[in-house]
Amino acid sequence: MTEQYVLALQEIDETQVAVVGGKGAQLGGLSRIDGIRVPGGFCVTTDAFRRVMAEVPSIDELLDRLSRSDPDDRGTIRTLSARIRRAVEETAVPDDLAAAITGALAELGEGAACAVRSSATAEDLPTASFAGQQDTYLNVVGSETILRHVSRCWASLFTERAVIYRQRNGVDHRTVHMAVVVQRMVLPDASGILFTADPVTGNRRVATVDAGFGLGEALVSGLVNPDVYKVRDDEIVARTIAAEQRAVHPLPAGGTREVTVDSQRQERPALTDAQVVRLVRLGRRIEAHFGSPQDIEWCLADDGFQIVQSRPITTLFPVPESNDQENHVYVSVGHGQMMTDPMKPLGHSMWRLTAMVPMHEAGGRLFVDVTRRLAAPTSRAGLLDLLGKGDPLIRDALETVLDRDGFVPSLPDTGPGGPPAGGPPAPLETDPAVVTRLIERSETSVAALERDIRTKTGPALFDFLMEAFEEHKRVLSDPLSIQAIMAGMEATWWLNDKLLEWLGEKNAADTLTLSAPGNVTSEMGLALLDVADVIRPHPELVTFLQGVEDDGFLDELAKLPGGTEARDAIQAYLDRYGMRCVGEIDITRPRWSERPTTLVPVILDNVRNFEPGAAESRFEQGRRKAQEKEQDVLSRLRALPDGDLKADEAKRMIDRVRTFIGYREYPKYGIISRYFVYKRALLAEAERLVRAGVLPEAEDVFYLTFQEFHDAVRSNRVDERLVRQRKEAFRSYHALTPPRVLTSEGDALTGAYRRDDVPAGALVGVPVSAGTVEGRARVVLDMADADLEAGDILVTAFTDPSWSPLFVGIAGLVTEVGGLMTHGAVIAREYGLPAVVGVEQATRLIRDGQRIRVHGTDGYVEILP
């Protein structure tokens, strides 16, 4: 194929990123939009870049060294990237390439001033803007000077910041190429940036315009504050006019300079209101063409707007798709499930198929539409109360939306006037046999699933699973199970409210729930202490485990003295709990049974930090503390007016908490047990597709929805391009922070605590487990990286049940996500750990190793000097 070194902008569209880079492709696409003016110009293609790079001395060796360097080793990267830039700039442009560029320049006009702009192939992409990573040169005059600046643009692919950005985003330096855009220079009266969605709130209906006099470099460099306009539905809804004392203007012979703005113009806006509205309309046209909100650079010359760049705004959280034009309010599922990471398509599609309410996907996360429940007074009050108990920030975010006039419609309360047919369910007795019966029902159902799924393959497996999902939901919605869960939670709330009112004691229920019986999640943490007891007497086993990297280590373990017992203990643990893992609501996440090395660091911590028999002694210690607390509370109550009555009521509620609060954790265990059965059957099906040559690897099915997987099994075909796109999208979703509440207009709301009862500088959260503790913060983002000492305080983003084995070895807990009844809070109370959850950005604001004080009773964290 003949190499093309130069293409006119009119010959380019947005599909040609590999040829002209992200900026060039976007400009080519822009030039094709009716009514959009783009300054004339051309692109020096990536073929030209590759041609020049092939002639750069020692480039392969330098790139190899750069790829091997650590992104945090700034000194090495600075030295290597400077050497590469110098070598590229000093490499002569081949004659035929130089001739192609000067020929294209002649068409722009003799002596035309140009903007020479870098356009990398990993830039202005839908999933990563790479903005500001390469260089732009304005008002360049003369062919020799322009050629020199083209070389500088090629070299700018290796600026220190561009190299580090690529390494941190997992982009191979050799896969990125540099094109260069050369355009006729616009000499503007004003210029600036237009965001077609509000970059701060995310609202897609509000456009933001930044405007200043002269060239946009004054705004970009921070030389001046811009005029800022917010525009909604062709109306300016907010404006801030800045006094601009400086501007950047082009020089006749090339280059730019700062000038002082005439004093009479300083207070004048750079644009008229009519021009602002006209600009936003152009922006909407560009947004419609590219199909997503855009960050647009514009110039105004002779009352006409010219667009010099448009790229996607990659920082906005996506909005769930809806089939109507109505307003919608969505609440994050991940904040309730303690898993705010993105889920792969098979994961979120299966959670939707097995969930009790309809869910919507956006940015790899799931959301529930609560608009109708917010619209009617009674359901609104109930929803706010329920969500507020779980996470006060969600409640605050919803109240912020409700404060907006008319966004949520007002509907009358609907529903039957009288009690439901058959009357309300009978009150649940405080009887441990209720819990035993529920667990037996669940275990029987899971055993039947395991038995029946064994013979199912091909399309028949998917038909069987659709029926299994109905049984899954039936078990989940068992009225008795829901009553048992609510009984424990309501008794906890009652005790906290009444004992605060009667005795002035905050969160008294926290101590009363210590070592509550029947909690499968807290038992899971204690059971790993028993595993450590089997390993501790054998130093060879400890040494072996310290070097373990392969998930097949159990067979090797058995060859060492004491190893058979150790292997059997770990295997028994995996048989009981091996279906669990971090982020377990996503079926695609590797389970402990699939990756047992995940547990090794926790086992070793337990060996190091605990004495033999710690599980039993800790449980017994907690049970005794709870018993002593009960006697203390009841005796103090009896001393009050109507004391016997109050004590009797409190005793009933304490018994109720201890009977039912442990069951709160069981339904999730049942769900995840079923998920592991589904997963093994689906992976066996994926392996068949691999053997048939339909898929390169079995885990590629994780990037298909359940229905797409079913279709692939029926047709023996998979769209490999779709899988690649999904992998790229999934990677990009990790950079997005999911909001607690999201509106159909794109507003991403996290809520606020609005408290004034905490010390200055403290980090505010939700108090979920009483007590105060001071210690070393260990910021752990991956359970496999935990390295904990006794007395450490765990700081992490979220804790689903799989984190509970770490809880036995820590002194306190701080998380970014959570509420009073989420799993981490329940287990923290049972283990007696002071805990504060829902602390926004805790893993960023608290540094690993800092000393902190956790106020679990009052809900805040102090960072100590």
Side-chain angles (χ1 to χ4, degrees), residues 652-806:
R652 276 198 301 276
M653 287 300 176
I654 292 168
D655 290 348
R656 204 160 174 79
V657 163
R658 295 197 66 79
T659 299
F660 292 115
I661 201 66
Y663 180 72
R664 160 79 180 82
E665 292 295 298
Y666 195 85
K668 185 75 167 279
Y669 176 80
I671 291 169
I672 302 307
S673 298
R674 300 177 78 89
Y675 260 43
F676 195 35
V677 179
Y678 304 152
K679 182 178 186 180
R680 282 181 297 193
L682 288 169
L683 274 178
E685 206 56 48
E687 294 288 358
R688 277 188 276 277
L689 290 177
V690 172
R691 288 195 296 274
V694 176
L695 280 176
E697 355 182 317
E699 292 192 355
D700 282 353
V701 298
F702 294 166
Y703 297 94
L704 303 176
T705 65
F706 182 81
Q707 185 58 53
E708 289 165 349
F709 190 178
H710 189 182
D711 293 343
V713 168
R714 275 202 307 252
S715 66
N716 256 9
R717 278 202 308 273
V718 169
D719 182 346
E720 288 185 29
R721 190 179 59 175
L722 175 68
V723 171
R724 277 198 308 275
Q725 287 172 346
R726 294 269 178 81
K727 286 181 178 178
E728 179 58 38
F730 179 71
R731 274 195 295 272
S732 75
Y733 294 154
H734 284 277
L736 299 173
T737 301
R740 283 174 166 80
V741 171
L742 185 63
T743 73
S744 49
E745 291 187 350
D747 289 294
L749 299 108
T750 54
Y753 286 108
R754 308 184 198 284
R755 286 174 55 186
D756 54 10
D757 60 341
V758 297
L763 309 180
V764 185
V766 183
V768 295
S769 186
T772 301
V773 66
E774 188 176 308
R776 178 179 66 159
R778 296 314 309 260
V779 179
V780 180
L781 300 179
D782 183 339
M783 184 175 151
D785 297 334
D787 180 16
L788 299 166
E789 300 284 352
D792 283 348
I793 297 169
L794 175 62
V795 180
T796 190
F798 56 79
T799 58
D800 59 10
S802 68
W803 285 77
S804 64
L806 293 185

Side-chain angles (χ1 to χ4, degrees), residues 419-427 483:
Q483 271 189 287

Side-chain angles (χ1 to χ4, degrees), residues 347-472:
H348 62 66
S349 68
M350 287 193 66
W351 191 259
R352 290 169 76 175
L353 285 167
T354 52
M356 302 308 301
V357 294
M359 292 181 179
H360 307 264
E361 183 273 335
R365 279 78 167 192
L366 291 173
F367 295 85
V368 173
D369 187 343
V370 296
T371 319
R372 292 198 70 79
R373 290 181 67 186
L374 287 174
T378 303
S379 60
R380 180 192 312 138
L383 180 72
L384 291 174
D385 185 51
L386 183 67
L387 293 177
K389 279 195 169 88
D391 184 338
L393 292 177
I394 290 180
R395 177 175 185 140
D396 184 80
L398 288 173
E399 287 174 336
T400 301
V401 176
L402 287 166
D403 285 343
R404 295 178 185 169
D405 285 346
F407 187 83
V408 176
S410 289
L411 298 174
D413 281 320
T414 54
L428 192 62
E429 287 185 54
T430 303
D431 181 359
V434 171
V435 173
T436 306
R437 190 160 72 249
L438 284 167
I439 290 172
E440 284 172 356
R441 277 190 206 174
S442 177
E443 287 177 344
T444 301
S445 177
V446 172
L449 172 67
E450 287 182 308
R451 182 189 67 238
D452 296 343
I453 205 169
R454 285 180 193 144
T455 57
K456 306 296 188 292
T457 61
L461 169 65
F462 290 84
D463 295 337
F464 171 80
L465 283 172
M466 289 306 290
E467 293 175 19
F469 296 163
E470 292 309 308
E471 166 67 3
H472 180 124

